Coordinates of all heavy atoms in Angstrom, one line a residue:
T381 N 25.5 -29.5 -23.3 CA 25.2 -30.1 -24.6 C 25.2 -31.6 -24.6 O 24.8 -32.2 -25.6 CB 26.1 -29.5 -25.7 OG1 27.4 -29.9 -25.3 CG2 26.1 -28.1 -25.8
S433 N 21.9 -24.6 -35.2 CA 22.8 -24.5 -34.1 C 22.7 -23.1 -33.5 O 22.2 -22.2 -34.2 CB 24.2 -24.8 -34.5 OG 24.7 -23.8 -35.3
G434 N 23.3 -22.9 -32.4 CA 23.3 -21.6 -31.8 C 24.1 -20.6 -32.6 O 23.8 -19.5 -32.8
T435 N 25.2 -21.1 -33.1 CA 26.1 -20.3 -33.9 C 25.3 -19.8 -35.2 O 25.3 -18.6 -35.5 CB 27.3 -21.1 -34.4 OG1 28.1 -21.4 -33.2 CG2 28.2 -20.3 -35.3
Q436 N 24.6 -20.7 -35.8 CA 23.9 -20.4 -37.0 C 22.8 -19.4 -36.6 O 22.6 -18.4 -37.3 CB 23.2 -21.6 -37.6 CG 22.6 -21.4 -38.9 CD 22.1 -22.7 -39.5 OE1 21.2 -23.3 -39.0 NE2 22.6 -23.0 -40.7
N438 N 22.7 -17.2 -34.1 CA 23.3 -15.8 -33.9 C 23.7 -15.1 -35.2 O 23.4 -14.0 -35.4 CB 24.5 -16.0 -33.0 CG 24.2 -16.2 -31.5 OD1 23.2 -15.6 -31.0 ND2 24.9 -17.0 -30.8
H460 N 30.2 -15.0 -27.1 CA 30.3 -16.2 -27.9 C 30.3 -15.8 -29.4 O 31.0 -16.3 -30.2 CB 29.1 -17.1 -27.6 CG 29.2 -18.5 -28.1 ND1 29.0 -18.8 -29.4 CD2 29.6 -19.6 -27.5 CE1 29.2 -20.1 -29.5 NE2 29.5 -20.6 -28.4
V461 N 29.4 -14.8 -29.8 CA 29.2 -14.5 -31.2 C 30.5 -14.0 -31.8 O 30.8 -14.1 -33.0 CB 28.1 -13.4 -31.4 CG1 26.8 -14.0 -31.1 CG2 28.4 -12.1 -30.7
E465 N 32.7 -18.2 -32.5 CA 31.9 -18.6 -33.7 C 32.8 -18.4 -34.9 O 32.3 -17.9 -36.0 CB 30.6 -17.8 -33.7 CG 29.7 -18.2 -32.5 CD 28.3 -17.6 -32.5 OE1 27.9 -17.0 -33.4 OE2 27.6 -17.9 -31.4
E514 N 24.6 -11.1 -23.9 CA 24.6 -12.6 -23.7 C 24.1 -12.9 -22.3 O 24.6 -12.3 -21.3 CB 26.0 -13.1 -23.9 CG 26.1 -14.6 -24.0 CD 27.5 -15.0 -24.5 OE1 28.1 -14.4 -25.4 OE2 28.1 -15.9 -23.9
T516 N 22.9 -16.6 -20.3 CA 23.9 -16.3 -19.3 C 25.3 -16.3 -20.0 O 25.4 -16.9 -21.1 CB 23.9 -17.4 -18.2 OG1 24.2 -18.7 -18.8 CG2 22.6 -17.5 -17.5
D551 N 22.2 -13.1 -27.4 CA 22.6 -14.5 -27.5 C 22.1 -15.1 -26.2 O 22.7 -15.1 -25.2 CB 24.2 -14.6 -27.6 CG 24.7 -16.0 -27.6 OD1 23.8 -16.9 -27.5 OD2 25.9 -16.2 -27.8
A553 N 21.7 -18.3 -25.6 CA 21.9 -19.8 -25.6 C 21.4 -20.4 -24.4 O 20.8 -21.5 -24.4 CB 23.4 -20.0 -25.8
R554 N 21.7 -19.8 -23.2 CA 21.2 -20.3 -21.9 C 20.2 -19.3 -21.3 O 20.3 -19.1 -20.0 CB 22.3 -20.7 -21.0 CG 23.2 -21.8 -21.6 CD 24.2 -22.3 -20.6 NE 25.0 -23.4 -21.1 CZ 26.1 -23.2 -21.8 NH1 26.5 -22.0 -22.1 NH2 26.7 -24.3 -22.3
C579 N 19.3 -21.7 -27.4 CA 19.8 -23.0 -27.7 C 18.8 -24.1 -27.2 O 18.4 -24.0 -26.0 CB 21.2 -23.3 -27.1 SG 22.5 -22.6 -28.1
S581 N 19.7 -27.4 -27.5 CA 20.5 -28.6 -27.3 C 21.3 -28.5 -26.0 O 22.1 -29.3 -25.7 CB 21.4 -28.9 -28.5 OG 22.2 -27.8 -28.6
K582 N 21.1 -27.4 -25.2 CA 21.9 -27.3 -24.0 C 21.0 -27.7 -22.8 O 20.5 -28.8 -22.8 CB 22.5 -25.9 -23.9 CG 23.5 -25.7 -25.0 CD 24.3 -24.4 -24.8 CE 25.4 -24.4 -25.9 NZ 25.9 -23.1 -26.1
S590 N 18.5 -24.9 -32.4 CA 18.3 -23.6 -31.7 C 17.1 -23.0 -32.3 O 16.6 -23.5 -33.3 CB 19.5 -22.7 -31.9 OG 20.6 -23.1 -31.0
Ligands
PLP19 C1 26.6 -22.8 -27.1 C2 26.5 -21.4 -27.3 C3 26.2 -20.8 -28.5 C4 25.9 -21.7 -29.7 O1 26.6 -22.8 -29.9 P1 26.4 -24.0 -30.9 O2 27.4 -24.9 -30.5 O3 26.7 -23.3 -32.3 O4 25.0 -24.4 -30.8 C5 26.0 -19.5 -28.6 N1 26.2 -18.7 -27.5 C6 26.6 -19.2 -26.3 C7 26.8 -18.3 -25.2 C8 26.7 -20.5 -26.2 O5 27.1 -21.0 -25.0

Side-chain angles (χ1 to χ4, degrees):
T381 57
S433 69
T435 297
Q436 189 175 62
N438 281 324
H460 195 282
V461 294
E465 298 186 6
E514 192 171 316
T516 61
D551 178 353
R554 295 191 180 86
C579 280
S581 62
K582 293 187 175 164
S590 278

